[in-house]
Amino acid sequence: MKRKQQYGSVTNVTKMLSDRAYWDVEGILRNRLRAAPQFVDFIDLETELKGHNGCVNCLQWSDDGHILASASDDLHVKLWDPFRHTQLHDIATPHEGNIFSVKFLPQRGNAVLATCAGDSKTFVFDINRQDENPTRRCVCHLHRVKRLATSPRNPHLFWSAAEDGVVLQHDMRVQHTCNQQDNNVLIDLRNYLWVSPEIKCIAINPQRPEQMAIGANDCYARVYDRRMISLSRLYDPREIGDGLVVTTRIDKIPNDGCVKYFCPGHLNGDEKVNMQYNFKTITYLTFSPDGTELLVNMGSDHIYLFEINGSRQPVFLELPKLPPTSNGETNGCVGGEKTKHKFPPDVEQLKMEGNDNQERSQYLQAINKYTQAIRKANSKDCAILYLNRATALMRRDWYGDAYAAVRDCHTALRLDPHYVKAYFRLARALLKLEQSKEAQLCLDELIQRFPSYAKNQGVLLLGKDIGIELDKQRVRASESRFSIYEGNYFHDKEKGWRAKAIDYEKRFVGHCNTKTDIKEANYFGDSNYIVAGSDDGRFYVWDRHSGLVTASYKADELIVNCVQPHPYVCLLATSGIDNEIRLWTPKSPEGKFERKEKHLDACVSENQTRMKADPFEEMTPGQAICRAS
């Protein structure tokens, strides 16, 4: 007879699941259930939490998920019971500017919170005290403090990131007097970035708390190893000198090994993107729950996912070696296909639908169909699907589409080095990216590898277009000494870090992020979904694996900034320019979904048009005040 294994005096399965040995198993099950498609596909508005008298700029769940904290332009922090839809506490803070971040300090019983605001101040509150005066004050920052970060593994520490380009470390065990004598500066971008750096967001890796990510008013997400950085004293640049370039504090520049940069390949090295009114800036970033990915919401652009330990470098031109063929035939020509590609019926149907969409100039729908087909097909046989998607991307021409087309062309050529049409499309995409020299090299290689196409009409026309662009570049180079983009704006180490920046793995397109610099993007559930707010008053849901938009919901009259998933159940809290906080939960499939957008493709297309417009032209006076305050 098999001996029954004993767990102390417990033999009841339910009791065992609530005991120590099975918490991780139960947690895995809970994670899967809270983001199961059957739940996420049927979320809708559950209730509105009313009480604030201004824009709600930040939301934060307590670690146990029992309390939701919110903070607003009305300078109040409110605590809510999300399940009973009731207000638990109201803190009238002494802030004198819009509150941008509120955080529960870990392992403090949901009673201690930190806040930061546009008045450059950071406060800590203990709601168990009789009075509501802050228990800790910090006024060290010189400009608006935009975000706070905490780590459950460092319960006595929290960090603040501000538009003065500085990250401060706050140690609750040490008294602070704000006399600029404390060693509390962890990161100071002013030491090696001399164009008024502004830090907009900050995050701590939940699995490796030594890793800290920050986003600033450029297109580079920076991940630091805190163990390799020494704390230093804060300095005021006004004490050093006026002007664009200040004296560099060489001794305070981090070592090469302590920081890693991440940037979409098409933006890396292009300082011009920061000189336009629709500049690129990182409004929010967060690590994945398992700590292996970094999700970045890029202002005036899209949402990007990076692998923390990845090594993908931006590639514009990298042609595979041409293996010999038995019959000398190629898989395609510039004018049309020679070889028929056989796919399973479901994949073939998606391909045909994508082709039909492309012929009708419905490029968004075509890209979605090709993406679905690629996920279903055998990756070794779908070069044509990647190339078709690259063609649709080029014709759609949204931000980053040309570079995404370059990546698809490279994939198609890796799968089939004899694919002539892929060489042609790659050269055209490189020209679109103003990589004219690389485009010429690609076209030259096409002619060298496949001489019969040297007189092809399409090849000749592309060669002419490349020649025209090369002439323009020579003229611009001769006038570069008058260019506003020329100048020594970065320390040499900063240039080196940017040159080694890691490229993105996935891109999520659909929302619009131009009118505010606090717009979030987060993992939903067990990371199968991505959620983010938008300038059109909606929040969007993407399938993390395919990158496709799965749903959109009307959540604000003007702009949705905050999207915070509950840590344990399928519950989402959102807020924005409206005074209300909205909670979203699954409903019965037979119910009415009044908030779910029925014309999803139209909303996505309108957002891309909106993104290229001057954001201030569309603002109402109230919106302009909310952004500027």
Side-chain angles (χ1 to χ4, degrees):
M1 182 174 178
K2 189 175 181 179
R3 184 180 178 184
K4 182 187 297 184
Q5 185 175 358
Q6 297 293 324
Y7 296 88
S9 59
V10 179
T11 57
N12 182 276
V13 175
T14 304
K15 178 62 177 173
M16 285 192 294
L17 284 172
S18 65
D19 281 349
R20 55 187 173 85
Y22 285 86
W23 268 115
D24 52 348
V25 177
E26 191 252 351
I28 292 172
L29 241 128
R30 184 171 52 199
N31 283 344
R32 290 178 179 175
L33 287 175
R34 67 179 162 141
Q38 295 87 339
F39 291 162
V40 176
D41 291 346
F42 297 109
I43 62 172
D44 206 85
L45 182 65
E46 175 183 303
T47 191
E48 295 180 345
L49 303 179
K50 299 182 179 181
H52 281 295
N53 294 311
C55 306
V56 182
N57 300 319
C58 48
L59 301 171
Q60 181 66 36
W61 294 100
S62 60
D63 289 339
D64 58 14
H66 292 168
I67 300 175
L68 175 67
S70 62
S72 166
D73 288 356
D74 62 10
L75 311 183
H76 282 247
V77 172
K78 295 182 182 292
L79 303 183
W80 309 86
D81 182 331
F83 304 105
R84 293 182 175 86
H85 308 159
T86 57
Q87 181 177 303
L88 302 174
H89 209 83
D90 184 5
I91 304 174
T93 74
H95 280 298
E96 299 171 335
N98 301 345
I99 302 175
F100 290 120
S101 186
V102 58
K103 290 284 186 181
F104 288 96
L105 296 192
Q107 300 180 14
R108 302 249 173 181
N110 298 338
V112 180
L113 303 99
T115 62
C116 66
D119 57 4
S120 308
K121 299 175 183 177
T122 301
F123 295 138
V124 175
F125 300 91
D126 187 341
I127 62 175
N128 288 330
R129 291 167 57 95
Q130 294 297 322
D131 64 84
E132 293 185 346
N133 293 323
T135 60
R136 184 184 180 94
R137 300 170 182 261
C138 179
V139 296
C140 292
H141 282 293
L142 303 177
H143 297 293
R144 300 192 303 178
V145 189
K146 297 307 293 286
R147 292 282 180 180
L148 302 174
T150 61
S151 170
R153 301 188 188 184
N154 301 102
H156 303 292
L157 301 179
F158 72 95
W159 298 266
S160 58
E163 291 180 341
D164 55 8
V166 174
V167 172
L168 296 183
Q169 178 168 295
H170 306 264
D171 191 334
M172 294 292 290
R173 298 165 298 183
V174 179
Q175 187 176 2
H176 179 67
T177 57
C178 293
N179 56 9
Q180 295 190 354
Q181 300 302 311
D182 294 346
N183 289 325
N184 62 345
V185 176
L186 184 66
I187 299 169
D188 192 341
L189 295 185
R190 300 172 300 173
N191 289 329
Y192 44 97
L193 191 66
W194 306 321
V195 283
S196 302
E198 299 176 359
I199 302 180
K200 300 290 186 179
C201 48
I202 183 173
I204 297 291
N205 190 326
Q207 302 302 325
R208 297 185 58 188
E210 72 274 9
Q211 289 186 341
M212 170 183 287
I214 64 169
N217 56 334
D218 55 29
C219 51
Y220 297 89
R222 301 159 169 88
V223 175
Y224 294 85
D225 188 330
R226 295 188 296 108
R227 299 171 302 180
M228 302 176 68
I229 305 175
S230 299
L231 294 174
S232 61
R233 289 169 51 188
L234 184 70
Y235 76 95
D236 189 334
R238 291 169 296 188
E239 299 174 359
I240 297 177
D242 297 325
L244 180 64
V245 180
V246 299
T247 303
T248 307
R249 297 178 25 144
I250 302 294
D251 59 321
K252 298 306 177 184
I253 297 179
N255 297 324
D256 290 341
C258 79
V259 64
K260 196 173 185 179
Y261 279 37
F262 300 83
C263 178
H266 59 290
L267 300 180
N268 193 1
D270 187 5
E271 275 71 50
K272 291 182 291 183
V273 298
N274 291 323
M275 301 296 182
Q276 303 168 354
Y277 64 79
N278 57 342
F279 62 92
K280 311 295 182 183
T281 187
I282 297 175
T283 65
Y284 191 83
L285 45 69
T286 185
F287 289 92
S288 60
D290 65 4
T292 63
E293 299 172 348
L294 185 68
L295 189 69
V296 174
N297 198 346
M298 186 82 68
S300 295
D301 211 286
H302 308 299
I303 298 169
Y304 295 93
L305 186 150
F306 301 89
E307 288 189 0
I308 296 299
N309 300 316
S311 58
R312 179 195 285 267
Q313 294 292 318
V315 175
F316 294 95
L317 182 61
E318 186 177 78
L319 299 178
K321 292 182 179 181
L322 192 64
T325 58
S326 58
N327 55 13
E329 291 185 358
T330 62
N331 283 348
C333 66
V334 176
E337 296 177 37
K338 283 187 177 179
T339 303
K340 293 294 183 180
H341 295 259
K342 299 296 183 181
F343 294 111
D346 56 343
V347 176
E348 187 65 31
Q349 179 63 31
L350 288 168
K351 174 176 172 285
M352 291 175 61
E353 291 175 2
N355 293 345
D356 182 64
N357 290 139
Q358 188 149 202
E359 290 176 3
R360 297 171 181 269
S361 300
Q362 299 169 341
Y363 303 123
L364 170 61
Q365 294 86 340
I367 291 166
N368 290 348
K369 293 297 182 182
Y370 294 138
T371 300
Q372 294 174 45
I374 289 169
R375 286 181 57 78
K376 288 177 175 288
N378 186 330
S379 60
K380 295 181 180 180
D381 300 325
C382 60
I384 188 173
L385 298 177
Y386 281 102
L387 189 64
N388 286 0
R389 188 170 70 176
T391 303
L393 285 164
M394 287 285 293
R395 292 174 178 173
R396 187 176 69 174
D397 195 26
W398 292 351
Y399 282 146
D401 276 359
Y403 182 65
V406 165
R407 289 166 50 127
D408 274 355
C409 289
H410 283 143
T411 302
L413 286 172
R414 284 196 299 271
L415 294 172
D416 185 355
H418 290 94
Y419 203 172
V420 177
K421 191 184 291 186
Y423 290 88
F424 179 84
R425 184 59 59 192
L426 176 58
R428 176 64 72 182
L430 290 169
L431 179 61
K432 180 72 176 179
L433 285 172
E434 300 183 3
Q435 301 284 333
S436 303
K437 293 181 180 179
E438 287 78 4
Q440 184 65 64
L441 290 172
C442 183
L443 193 63
D444 291 344
E445 191 66 24
L446 185 159
I447 296 171
Q448 180 180 344
R449 295 185 178 193
F450 311 101
S452 61
Y453 292 96
K455 301 300 181 181
N456 180 278
Q457 186 66 21
V459 171
L460 292 174
L461 289 174
L462 178 56
K464 183 178 179 180
D465 291 342
I466 294 173
I468 292 173
E469 187 59 34
L470 286 170
D471 289 340
K472 291 180 180 179
Q473 286 188 359
R474 282 189 283 269
V475 172
R476 287 196 293 266
S478 65
E479 298 173 349
S480 63
R481 63 182 181 275
F482 304 111
S483 173
I484 63 171
Y485 307 126
E486 295 294 323
N488 186 21
Y489 296 151
F490 315 116
H491 189 274
D492 288 343
K493 283 194 174 183
E494 173 72 12
K495 295 177 182 177
W497 293 326
R498 293 186 174 205
K500 298 177 183 177
I502 302 301
D503 199 5
Y504 70 88
E505 293 295 325
K506 294 183 181 295
R507 184 176 69 135
F508 303 95
V509 178
H511 78 320
C512 181
N513 181 10
T514 60
K515 292 183 179 179
T516 59
D517 61 359
I518 57 173
K519 205 167 277 92
E520 299 175 349
N522 274 301
Y523 290 87
F524 193 14
D526 61 348
S527 304
N528 282 328
Y529 296 90
I530 302 297
V531 289
S534 177
D535 289 344
D536 61 357
R538 299 176 176 88
F539 72 87
Y540 287 78
V541 183
W542 290 264
D543 179 273
R544 178 198 165 281
H545 304 287
S546 68
L548 299 180
V549 178
T550 62
S552 174
Y553 297 85
K554 186 65 177 178
D556 197 282
E557 288 300 317
L558 295 172
I559 299 172
V560 178
N561 287 320
C562 304
V563 284
Q564 286 291 326
H566 190 277
Y568 299 120
V569 298
C570 191
L571 170 63
L572 186 71
T574 65
S575 67
I577 302 301
D578 290 352
N579 298 346
E580 293 80 21
I581 301 156
R582 294 180 172 90
L583 300 180
W584 307 78
T585 54
K587 282 190 173 183
S588 168
E590 291 76 24
K592 291 184 178 180
F593 294 86
E594 299 177 354
R595 295 278 181 153
K596 191 170 186 177
E597 181 56 57
K598 298 178 180 179
H599 307 288
L600 187 56
D601 290 346
C603 294
V604 170
S605 298
E606 289 171 5
N607 276 338
Q608 308 318 303
T609 301
R610 185 180 291 111
M611 200 181 301
K612 293 186 177 182
D614 186 338
F616 294 101
E617 289 181 357
E618 296 183 356
M619 280 190 175
T620 65
Q623 286 176 272
I625 291 172
C626 191
R627 178 187 173 97
S629 58

